[in-house]
Amino acid sequence: MDHVDFVLEQWRRERPDLDVTAMGVIGRVSRLQLEYSKAMAKTFASFGLNGAKFDVLATLRRAGAPHCLSAGDLMKATMVASGTMTNRIDRLEADGLVTRTTNPSDSRSFLIALTDKGIALIDQVVEAHVATQASLLEGLSTADVENLAQLLSKALTAAGRS
């Protein structure tokens, strides 16, 4: 019995007319997200990063060589506002992890690229990140992980239609 079971039992006792099944699923997903985030934040911090910096570096790295995107493409990929992205880029540039140059195709925009230092760092961090994520699923069998991934994908699709 986990804490969500305790909460659901209270609701069932106090409001037996309510079907709190969805509350249980969403409550557990929310608690999982918090636990996962804490563990991943520790991993990022061990490399002097936070989740926001990791997100930008990882987005540039997985874009493929030359590991360069426009600021607009970075905003779309990371789903953050312009001011937020500018702040992240400023910090990463100050750390020597990215460069910002004027876009030759559009002088009103910038291209953001990983530096050699940025590539070396993100390659280290992503390895540790993958290991952290794997450790968070250690209590599940391979079949459990595959089933969970499929169910979460369905749930995410369903939630996106709301």
Side-chain angles (χ1 to χ4, degrees):
M1 183 163 181
D2 62 26
H3 180 74
V4 175
D5 285 322
F6 175 74
V7 170
L8 296 176
E9 186 53 41
Q10 288 179 319
W11 278 118
R12 288 182 182 120
R13 183 186 68 238
E14 295 300 316
R15 292 290 310 270
D17 57 310
L18 294 176
D19 178 1
V20 293
T21 304
M23 183 186 291
V25 171
I26 292 168
R28 285 186 177 93
V29 169
S30 295
R31 286 179 165 266
L32 272 172
Q33 190 275 333
L34 290 172
E35 291 301 318
Y36 292 167
S37 292
K38 281 192 278 186
M40 291 183 296
K42 281 183 184 179
T43 298
F44 300 147
S46 72
F47 291 92
L49 298 176
N50 58 26
K53 286 181 174 183
F54 172 83
D55 195 22
V56 173
L57 295 175
T59 300
L60 289 167
R61 179 64 174 98
R62 67 177 187 264
H67 311 294
C68 180
L69 292 171
S70 70
D73 286 341
L74 267 175
M75 287 187 309
K76 287 177 199 166
T78 59
M79 297 180 289
V80 297
S82 176
T84 301
M85 182 53 66
T86 298
N87 188 26
R88 289 179 185 181
I89 293 167
D90 288 347
R91 289 179 180 174
L92 290 166
E93 190 174 30
D95 293 341
L97 301 173
V98 301
T99 59
R100 178 183 358 214
T101 57
T102 303
N103 187 341
S105 324
D106 178 2
S107 61
R108 297 168 296 158
S109 69
F110 293 96
L111 295 176
I112 312 306
L114 286 173
T115 62
D116 290 343
K117 179 181 174 183
I119 292 171
L121 179 63
I122 193 58
D123 281 350
Q124 283 185 298
V125 178
V126 78
E127 289 177 20
H129 178 56
V130 167
T132 297
Q133 290 178 322
S135 74
L136 291 166
L137 300 179
E138 280 180 355
L140 302 175
S141 70
T142 301
D144 287 340
V145 172
E146 289 171 3
N147 289 335
L148 181 59
Q150 288 177 343
L151 290 170
L152 289 171
S153 179
K154 284 181 181 180
L156 188 57
T157 299
R161 284 185 277 218
S162 302

